[in-house]
Amino acid sequence: MNILDRYHAMEYGPAPEARNEADAWLAARDFGRALFIGGDWKAASGGKTFETSEPSSGKLLANVSDANAVDIDAAVAAASKALPKWSAASGYQRAKVLYAIGRAMQRHQRLFAVLETIDNGKPIRESRDIDVPLAIRHFIHHAGWAQALDKDFPGHRGVGVVGQIIPWNFPLLMLAWKIAPALAAGCTVVLKPAEFTPLTSILFAEICERAGVPKGVVNIVQGGPEAGVAIVNHPGVQKIAFTGSSEVGKIIRKATAGSGKKLSLELGGKSAFIVFEDADLDSAVEGLVDGIWFNQGQVCCAGSRLLVQEGIADALIAKVKTRMSRLRVGSPLDKNTDIGPLVDLTQLDRVKGLVAEGARQGAVCWQPDAALPSSGYYHLPTLATGVSPANILAQEEVFGPVLATMTFRNTEEAIELANNTRYGLAASVWSENVNLALHVAPQLKAGVVWVNGTNMFDAACGFGGYRESGFGREGGREGMFEYLTAKLPLGPVIKPATTSAQPVEQADGSAIDRTAKLFIGGKQVRPDGNYSLAIATAKGKLAGEVGLGSRKDIRDAVSAARGAKAWPEATAYNRSQVLYYLAENLSGRAGEFAARLTELTGATPKAAREEVEQSLERLFLYAGLADKFEGRVHQPPARAVTLALHEPVGVVGIVAPDSSPLLGLISLVAPALAMGNTVVAVPSERYPLLATDLYQVIEYSDIPSGAINIVTGRSAELAGVLAKHDDVDGLWVFADAETCAKAEAESIGNLKRVWSGNGRSLDWASDEAAGDAFLRRAVEVKNVWVPYGD
């Protein structure tokens, strides 16, 4: 046999990773005392444990303490006790602790990698080369943020005690994503890992002991749903950070409604992997391997929907099948393995069920001819072709090694198919034409877009989604804001509106009767129900009547806002000019608006004039910032730049307060408009005539039809309609506490971003009630990764 024959005959031999150190660690550990609370190891107060097993064999690894509500109380108490000293520590002191954690993890990174693979089932190459190094990177990166906090985030402080709940697909990496920014911000932590994968979090707690983390700053509690519920509902927790399914995310959003807790959710996804006809197909195939078969497809941002241009579809599918046939399925501790087992039998059964249902709905499911190991929870890589956009494999997150394929004819159809999902976490765009790629990326409803790459992550770059993929960002500057708070200037407690009970003295009939309509789609229209609401002056006389808006009117307004493409597509400079012009036209009627304020609110003429002047100043502020509140360029340690683009949230519903009725309305509407959002505003229920007087000003200020819509009526009722409307992307509510809580609870249909005053108004005249704090709520941050070099 010559050398060439030997080359062709070569086969992969076994290349097992040694697990003796991990087994010794498992044997030496008392997992019955696995709760790390206040710097001590404790058993669960109820004495319960749960099993964690090895996915590759099903064999039992350990019986681990199962925390209950009593244990969560103890953990929150420990975190609360440690909070004052930790938050008061200097940035340098916190940076030293974060750096020490990272360095200690480096010294034990092989043990972390092997434990992660044993417990989760992911191939050792992934845990060794991706998960553990990235986790270490997060702690060392955030050591820098700890020291730069005062300079880069002036006026901000840590939010307090943070409850964190992480999933089983990236146990150590998700822990690092959560804990590192929290500690950098001066927060203390109560973290609950997933029941399937507790081991590396226990090792991490041991690292915290060695690295000198003060007692109570990091508390790690193992447990199931009872522990998770206790964390979410605990009154001593000021923020919840959750990564997991969209279904559980909605439950948490509803549970925290009205509590005032800060909330970030990183949820499911159904990411599009778009291949244009000019793409390098071989590179795209390798990207696809990383996109959908990385970690067995158990990745929230997995590129599980392949969208390929028709002209190259056959060629690409043939290459994909060839590559799939060479993927090695086997022991995750073998360094030659590409695909390991799924995490648990329940996950395996779920994936099988979804594949079967997809086939029943018309998909053709292909798998390579390969044998599976005799034990463990393995599933062959699967390619589904002939998939319709409504097929379950195109719509539901499978969370397994299953790729659904569809074709498109042109760029517009590719974008439409990519956005045909309730999720919005990530996407990949493959093209040799960077102009095409950067044309498509901003049009994709996804928080992260990779150009000619996939599954690229770094601590310097934000990660997070749109729509039902959640809200908030993890990593980078954007991620730090999730653990910080800036005190807004609180105003009075808002009482429930009582306009229906107010006696109104009728007018003397000397003036021509005028009933203000609604303002929808650039026109003044009658309310659908043809009811009106009497508005009284400060002296109890009839000032006028306004339309009583209803559910149908809100639907019409949202439809008009969604159709107003000219405003979000306008340049920031153009929006700036329009807002300046709006201020100019309002200035010409300043006396009229001041008189109306005095008539309705009883304010002195001087105070009324000041409110009008402050409203003009606020408009000028946001007109000036429209083209200045910009994104950033991140530089991860890779041959790529990450463009953190500021994009409008979309359609934003605004429920304005009675206090400072003109200034409050403009302070909310102006930043939303400045960032390119379209608005459906519900003005002050008690003083809506100030908003209806704006109609004419808006009409001759060059604001495109539908960019701003105003529906007068009952604030509580209309806030509820906006909250439930799935075509509203964001909702800002300044109303009584019950209305705010209901708006948050009822927003779960599409997990829209809700900002509420929790029953308090703001001091709208203060400088703090304007600027970046408002603009951040008016944008989504999209991170677009652009590689460079050969």
Side-chain angles (χ1 to χ4, degrees):
M1 181 180 288
N2 60 35
I3 292 176
L4 185 61
D5 292 333
R6 291 180 182 277
Y7 175 78
H8 287 301
M10 279 198 300
E11 296 182 355
Y12 284 100
E17 173 74 32
R19 57 177 292 167
N20 53 305
E21 186 178 347
D23 287 334
W25 182 85
L26 286 165
R29 196 75 182 71
D30 179 6
F31 291 99
R33 298 180 61 83
L35 307 185
F36 187 67
I37 298 175
D40 296 323
W41 294 98
K42 299 182 179 181
S45 60
K48 291 176 62 178
T49 60
F50 62 87
E51 294 182 350
T52 183
S53 301
E54 192 168 354
S56 63
S57 65
K59 293 180 180 178
L60 178 68
L61 289 170
N63 285 292
V64 182
S65 306
D66 189 356
N68 60 20
V70 174
D71 302 309
I72 300 303
D73 281 340
V76 173
S80 300
K81 182 179 179 181
L83 179 63
K85 188 173 181 179
W86 180 248
S87 61
S90 70
Y92 172 54
Q93 289 172 315
R94 293 200 298 271
K96 287 194 295 182
V97 171
L98 282 158
Y99 178 72
I101 292 173
R103 291 290 287 149
M105 291 176 70
Q106 283 180 326
R107 291 193 294 274
H108 298 279
Q109 58 185 338
R110 202 70 167 203
L111 177 57
F112 271 113
V114 176
L115 279 177
E116 194 81 325
T117 288
I118 290 172
D119 205 19
N120 170 273
K122 65 177 60 187
I124 185 65
R125 285 187 294 117
E126 295 176 10
S127 56
R128 180 195 66 199
D129 300 341
I130 300 172
D131 292 35
V132 177
L134 265 178
I136 294 166
R137 158 85 171 141
H138 269 266
F139 283 100
I140 294 177
H141 174 82
H142 283 91
W145 277 127
Q147 203 161 355
L149 206 63
D150 291 340
K151 174 179 175 293
D152 283 77
F153 302 91
H156 288 73
R157 58 176 178 79
V159 71
V161 176
V162 179
Q164 301 176 324
I165 301 172
I166 59 174
W168 44 260
N169 57 336
F170 289 91
L172 182 65
L173 186 55
M174 292 297 100
L175 176 151
W177 281 20
K178 296 286 191 293
I179 291 181
L183 297 192
C187 301
T188 54
V189 168
V190 176
L191 179 136
K192 189 195 89 65
E195 306 97 294
F196 288 149
T197 51
L199 297 185
T200 49
S201 68
I202 296 171
L203 177 58
F204 176 80
E206 293 179 355
I207 292 292
C208 288
E209 287 183 295
R210 299 171 192 171
V213 178
K215 291 187 175 184
V217 169
V218 173
N219 304 274
I220 297 178
V221 286
Q222 312 296 334
E226 181 182 356
V229 169
I231 291 173
V232 169
N233 294 330
H234 202 289
V237 171
Q238 284 78 51
K239 173 189 166 62
I240 298 294
F242 172 76
T243 297
S245 71
S246 296
E247 291 72 24
V248 176
K250 291 179 178 182
I251 293 170
I252 292 173
R253 165 72 281 186
K254 191 169 186 177
T256 57
S259 67
K261 292 178 182 177
K262 197 167 185 179
L263 180 62
S264 55
L265 301 172
E266 196 268 281
L267 308 176
K270 195 67 184 174
S271 300
F273 190 103
I274 308 170
V275 183
F276 286 95
E277 59 189 2
D278 65 344
D280 180 337
L281 297 191
D282 291 327
S283 295
V285 170
E286 291 308 307
L288 196 57
V289 170
D290 288 337
I292 182 58
W293 292 300
F294 172 56
N295 197 20
Q296 295 73 256
Q298 299 171 130
V299 183
C300 53
C301 56
S304 56
R305 289 185 298 145
L306 171 61
L307 309 180
V308 54
Q309 200 153 13
E310 283 182 352
I312 58 167
D314 291 343
L316 182 65
I317 294 301
K319 287 178 177 290
V320 170
K321 287 183 176 179
T322 299
R323 186 67 177 87
M324 289 174 67
S325 66
R326 294 172 181 164
L327 293 173
R328 294 176 60 83
V329 181
S331 168
L333 282 173
D334 190 323
K335 289 184 280 288
N336 292 321
T337 291
D338 297 305
I339 297 179
L342 299 181
V343 73
D344 186 74
L345 180 61
T346 55
Q347 182 65 11
L348 177 61
D349 289 342
R350 181 180 183 276
V351 172
K352 286 180 177 179
L354 286 169
V355 170
E357 179 59 23
R360 192 190 69 78
Q361 294 180 8
V364 178
C365 295
W366 182 89
Q367 296 175 332
D369 183 15
L372 292 177
S374 57
S375 63
Y377 313 125
Y378 291 89
H379 192 287
L380 285 172
T382 303
L383 174 67
T385 55
V387 177
S388 71
N391 189 290
I392 194 170
L393 295 179
Q395 291 297 321
E396 294 298 323
E397 184 179 33
V398 177
F399 226 60
V402 180
L403 177 65
T405 305
M406 291 171 278
T407 61
F408 62 87
R409 289 164 291 183
N410 53 37
T411 302
E412 291 72 23
E413 187 178 8
I415 294 168
E416 185 176 359
L417 282 171
N419 290 337
N420 181 34
T421 173
R422 68 181 189 273
Y423 298 108
L425 188 52
S428 294
V429 179
W430 291 78
S431 170
E432 290 297 282
N433 183 346
V434 71
N435 293 324
L436 173 61
L438 294 180
H439 168 70
V440 170
Q443 299 182 69
L444 300 176
K445 293 296 183 184
V448 181
V449 179
W450 297 293
V451 174
N452 292 332
T454 190
N455 280 339
M456 292 184 281
F457 311 102
D458 187 65
C461 306
F463 180 87
Y466 295 5
R467 296 175 168 175
E468 291 189 37
S469 290
F471 45 78
R473 294 293 181 265
E474 296 190 281
R477 183 182 179 84
E478 306 100 278
M480 281 303 303
F481 275 115
E482 301 298 330
Y483 292 92
L484 296 169
T485 185
K487 282 190 175 181
L488 288 174
L490 292 178
V493 173
I494 301 175
K495 297 180 181 179
T498 57
T499 51
S500 59
Q502 291 178 345
V504 178
E505 182 181 332
Q506 296 300 309
D508 59 13
S510 61
I512 297 175
D513 180 74
R514 175 170 174 257
T515 300
K517 301 176 182 178
L518 313 180
F519 190 72
I520 297 175
K523 299 177 182 178
Q524 298 185 43
V525 299
R526 291 185 176 87
D528 179 71
N530 276 321
Y531 286 100
S532 60
L533 186 66
I535 303 302
T537 68
K539 296 180 179 180
K541 293 184 178 181
L542 181 68
E545 293 183 301
V546 297
L548 188 61
S550 66
R551 182 183 301 272
K552 175 64 164 59
D553 299 311
I554 291 289
R555 287 206 305 265
D556 291 344
V558 172
S559 179
R562 181 62 67 190
K565 304 295 185 185
W567 187 250
E569 292 176 0
T571 66
Y573 175 54
N574 179 250
R575 294 196 300 269
S576 173
Q577 289 178 299
V578 171
L579 289 174
Y580 276 130
Y581 191 35
L582 178 64
E584 177 186 332
N585 290 327
L586 179 59
S587 177
R589 296 175 59 179
E592 175 187 335
F593 276 87
R596 178 70 94 175
L597 270 166
T598 296
E599 176 194 22
L600 293 174
T601 68
T604 65
K606 180 182 178 182
R609 183 73 190 197
E610 285 178 354
E611 182 169 341
V612 175
E613 287 299 325
Q614 288 164 343
S615 300
L616 292 169
E617 182 180 347
R618 202 66 39 100
L619 276 172
F620 253 66
L621 171 69
Y622 290 116
L625 291 175
D627 60 355
K628 298 175 185 65
F629 189 71
E630 301 174 307
R632 291 171 173 256
V633 177
H634 300 311
Q635 295 179 278
R639 291 194 303 171
V641 293
T642 306
L643 312 177
L645 306 178
H646 283 176
E647 297 186 338
V649 172
V651 176
V652 175
I654 291 175
V655 181
D658 288 337
S659 61
S660 303
L662 179 63
L663 178 59
L665 177 65
I666 286 177
S667 295
L668 293 167
V669 169
L673 290 176
M675 293 297 99
N677 300 283
T678 56
V679 170
V680 177
V682 177
S684 160
E685 180 174 335
R686 189 172 180 184
Y687 310 117
L689 290 171
L690 285 157
T692 63
D693 288 348
L694 282 171
Y695 294 173
Q696 290 182 338
V697 181
I698 294 169
E699 286 172 329
Y700 54 72
S701 295
D702 293 341
I703 296 179
S705 298
I708 179 169
N709 306 272
I710 298 175
V711 180
T712 55
R714 310 281 187 210
S715 295
E717 177 186 334
L718 299 179
V721 177
L722 286 166
K724 293 177 182 178
H725 201 303
D726 285 351
D727 223 17
V728 174
D729 303 298
L731 179 59
W732 303 352
V733 184
F734 283 84
D736 61 276
E738 183 179 356
T739 298
C740 291
K742 284 185 176 179
E744 291 177 349
E746 293 173 348
S747 70
I748 62 172
N750 67 342
L751 279 174
K752 60 176 62 66
R753 293 173 52 176
V754 180
W755 173 32
S756 84
N758 294 308
R760 297 288 295 271
S761 186
L762 297 182
D763 177 4
W764 298 103
S766 65
D767 291 340
E768 294 81 6
D772 287 7
F774 285 65
L775 293 171
R776 278 196 301 274
R777 291 178 168 89
V779 297
E780 293 275 19
V781 181
K782 172 180 287 180
N783 280 269
V784 180
W785 288 68
V786 184
Y788 57 80
D790 295 331

